[in-house]
Amino acid sequence: MAAKTSYDVVIIGGGFAGVTAARDLQKRGLSTIVLEARDRLGGRTFYEERNGFHVELGGTWIHWTQPFVWAEKERYGLEVQETPGCVAERIAIKIDGKVQELQEAQLGEFVEGFEHFFAESKGVWERPYDIHHCWEAVCERDALTVADRLNALDLTPLQRTSLGGFLEILSMNQPQNASYVEMMRTWSLTAWNYQLFNDTAARYKLTKGTAALVEAITRDGGFEVALSTAVRSVQHTSEGVSVTTESGERLMAQRAVVTVPLNVLHNLHFDPPLSEVKLEASKLKHVGGGCKVFFEVGGDPGAVMTLSRSTDSPLIGSFTYKRGEKHSVLAGFSLEPDALEKSVDEWQPVLEEFIPGVKVLSTFGHDWGGDDLSQGSWCTYRPGTVARFTDELPRQEGHLYFASGDHAQGWRGFIEGAIASGSRTAVQVAESLRT
Ligand SMILES: Cc1cc2nc3c(=O)[nH]c(=O)nc-3n(C[C@H](O)[C@H](O)[C@H](O)COP(=O)(O)OP(=O)(O)OC[C@H]3O[C@@H](n4cnc5c(N)ncnc54)[C@H](O)[C@@H]3O)c2cc1C
């Protein structure tokens, strides 16, 4: 329930994009409220305490290649800790139906697979924040899928599996559904370097969790928050914006910032309607699906990583997330729609194939695809949509502004992108209100 009926700015959605925009606007002296449908802030970042372990069910890993989120971590003095399986002592890969342990002598072959796949990326994303810099090169390849690229290369069986599995995790979809251009952009953000790419993807997590960063931003910002307040409709005129919640409450503001996930944007009613491209993109949905599924296992399996193609195993990848003497937790990824419903008995042989002797005690996770307020995991654009959506999705419409990790310019699909987009949008909104 809002304290007032009128604000300078209403922010719709309280994930990282929303709270960052709210903080930056309130600190510029603009009265700002965040309306969040859930009973908590943080959106697609959320945690569970599991038998003494803090486990992030959504967005988790951050890195200094991500300037905005790293600056926030430094600003608020938050610590990070390492994820053991990201720097694994043992990597088990399922190749041609058989699990093999990656040998030191194969490391070169493994990394070369990535270098072959991404060989064009320097020319296509010489500047990964600027699609216009190599516009023609992006457009020429926009329709290509990850599968198209994989099929065009002469890869060894090891490379085909390790690279294929990694790309399935990165896009959270099968190679035929994921955009090759999008994968190249992410690779370019880590300076075309495998080690940096791997470390950015899954090495460092906030010791006290992402919730500690959301809380630090919120406390510092001092903006108003209304939880359990879903927005139903938004009307905007040259005078300002009127926002109506599901319970019928109406708030007026000079500006609104819409931060709801791309896949649910079309559920809100806008008058006048959103641009056709925004509506099309939201209804089409990004392809980031799949499940992050956790396994609580007995004892300490060591620092392990597993990789497979989704055609060979329900588990495309996993790695040790938390180690303990009595029990540990592995973080895994699956493209199977029922991954979170599978029983311990169903998962036991799947995991044991990669980690002999492992004993699965429980499995858990959050179904982000089935969650009405996200309807997907992290954002990966579809093949054939990158050139059309990149500029259009964040484009302002009248007094409506749009911020989201789902359409950030650089680290699209990441916490970093959400913070960068929220921060950039706050500057635009504040500028528009400068008298
Ligand atoms: C399983 C998983 C793992 C991930 N791993 C990583 C990772 O390791 N590192 C990383 O950087 N990123 C990761 N991500 C991605 C990252 O979490 C997201 O990109 C980022 O959190 C998105 O932030 P956002 O603010 O744009 O959107 P969200 O966090 O989705 O926030 C949008 C908010 O809008 C709210 N909302 C929706 N509809 C309405 C409505 N009608 N009215 C009011 N509020 C509404 C939602 O409840 C939500 O709180 C992961 C995501 C998932 C799901």
Side-chain angles (χ1 to χ4, degrees):
M1 187 77 179
K4 304 188 290 184
T5 53
S6 175
Y7 294 83
D8 290 324
V9 188
V10 169
I11 312 267
I12 304 170
F16 270 107
V19 296
T20 305
R23 178 199 59 191
D24 293 1
L25 286 161
Q26 183 78 33
K27 278 186 170 289
R28 286 178 166 88
L30 298 165
S31 64
T32 304
I33 184 169
V34 171
L35 305 179
E36 168 54 52
R38 299 179 197 270
D39 60 3
R40 60 169 181 83
L41 295 173
R44 274 170 282 172
T45 58
F46 184 45
Y47 70 95
E48 186 175 319
E49 293 294 341
R50 192 80 174 188
N51 292 330
F53 291 137
H54 180 101
V55 180
E56 296 278 349
L57 304 178
T60 308
W61 293 282
I62 62 170
H63 195 271
W64 53 85
T65 52
Q66 302 176 323
F68 281 81
V69 68
W70 206 262
E72 299 294 351
K73 168 221 163 301
E74 289 294 308
R75 188 202 310 274
Y76 297 116
L78 300 176
E79 300 294 329
V80 288
Q81 60 179 207
E82 298 227 5
T83 305
C86 181
V87 275
E89 296 154 354
R90 189 176 161 260
I91 301 178
I93 309 183
K94 191 165 182 181
I95 303 167
D96 295 335
K98 204 165 160 278
V99 174
Q100 302 178 16
E101 200 164 314
L102 185 74
Q103 304 299 317
E104 216 170 322
Q106 292 175 302
L107 277 175
E109 181 185 341
F110 177 92
V111 174
E112 264 171 31
F114 286 79
E115 289 166 354
H116 282 325
F117 184 88
F118 289 118
E120 298 187 316
S121 58
K122 235 178 203 167
V124 179
W125 291 106
E126 190 187 344
R127 298 185 193 175
Y129 279 74
D130 181 2
I131 191 170
H132 296 283
H133 186 66
C134 296
W135 177 252
E136 276 174 24
V138 171
C139 293
E140 271 166 25
R141 294 161 182 82
D142 197 0
L144 293 178
T145 66
V146 168
D148 292 331
R149 177 68 178 168
L150 282 172
N151 293 339
L153 295 176
D154 185 18
L155 298 168
T156 66
L158 166 71
Q159 291 170 338
R160 203 159 279 288
T161 306
S162 52
L163 174 66
F166 210 109
L167 291 166
E168 286 187 330
I169 299 176
L170 188 63
S171 63
M172 274 310 233
N173 215 310
Q174 275 93 9
Q176 64 274 22
N177 299 321
S179 156
Y180 166 50
V181 165
E182 279 288 80
M183 298 297 103
M184 280 198 281
R185 193 175 45 76
T186 311
W187 177 255
S188 301
L189 285 161
T190 51
W192 309 283
N193 176 292
Y194 173 75
Q195 197 58 53
L196 208 49
F197 181 63
N198 186 58
D199 284 0
T200 302
R203 185 157 178 179
Y204 301 102
K205 54 183 190 279
L206 290 161
T207 307
K208 292 190 175 162
T210 50
L213 180 53
V214 172
E215 199 192 317
I217 294 173
T218 306
R219 199 176 339 108
D220 185 25
F223 49 87
E224 198 180 322
V225 176
L227 295 176
S228 306
T229 305
V231 169
R232 184 174 62 207
S233 63
V234 181
Q235 273 187 307
H236 58 116
T237 66
S238 56
E239 302 298 306
V241 185
S242 159
V243 174
T244 307
T245 67
E246 286 292 352
S247 60
E249 201 182 349
R250 204 156 155 240
L251 298 185
M252 308 300 292
Q254 299 192 66
R255 304 285 184 269
V257 181
V258 182
T259 77
V260 305
L262 176 64
N263 287 0
V264 308
L265 181 64
H266 67 276
N267 291 340
L268 274 70
H269 178 78
F270 289 89
D271 178 18
L274 290 179
S275 73
E276 275 178 30
V277 179
K278 282 198 183 74
L279 265 181
E280 180 205 341
S282 177
K283 287 183 180 163
L284 195 60
K285 296 191 170 178
H286 67 72
V287 298
C291 282
K292 187 179 183 187
V293 50
F294 289 92
F295 304 96
E296 194 185 4
V297 300
D300 179 3
V304 291
M305 181 187 282
T306 76
L307 270 175
S308 171
R309 295 292 296 271
S310 62
T311 40
D312 292 335
S313 171
L315 189 64
I316 45 177
S318 72
F319 43 87
T320 313
Y321 182 81
K322 297 267 183 179
R323 289 173 79 171
E325 272 178 33
K326 292 203 175 116
H327 66 120
S328 302
V329 173
L330 297 169
F333 300 92
S334 177
L335 297 185
E336 305 231 328
D338 66 343
L340 291 169
E341 280 135 46
K342 279 189 199 298
S343 66
V344 165
D345 288 346
E346 286 171 288
W347 276 117
Q348 174 66 35
V350 174
L351 227 71
E352 208 167 0
E353 199 179 9
F354 296 95
I355 313 170
V358 73
K359 172 93 184 108
V360 181
L361 304 175
S362 69
T363 73
F364 59 101
H366 181 79
D367 179 10
W368 295 102
D371 181 329
D372 284 346
L373 298 170
S374 55
Q375 295 186 23
S377 56
W378 57 87
C379 176
T380 305
Y381 283 180
R382 282 172 190 274
T385 64
V386 178
R388 227 150 34 91
F389 292 170
T390 299
D391 287 335
E392 180 52 33
L393 297 189
R395 194 187 304 283
Q396 168 197 354
E397 298 190 20
H399 291 324
L400 290 188
Y401 290 74
F402 298 85
S404 172
D406 294 352
H407 51 67
Q409 297 299 315
W411 282 99
R412 182 152 58 240
F414 289 78
I415 296 168
E416 164 68 14
I419 295 176
S421 168
S423 182
R424 178 186 173 130
T425 306
V427 172
Q428 293 166 348
V429 171
E431 279 297 314
S432 78
L433 289 171
R434 202 184 277 266
T435 47

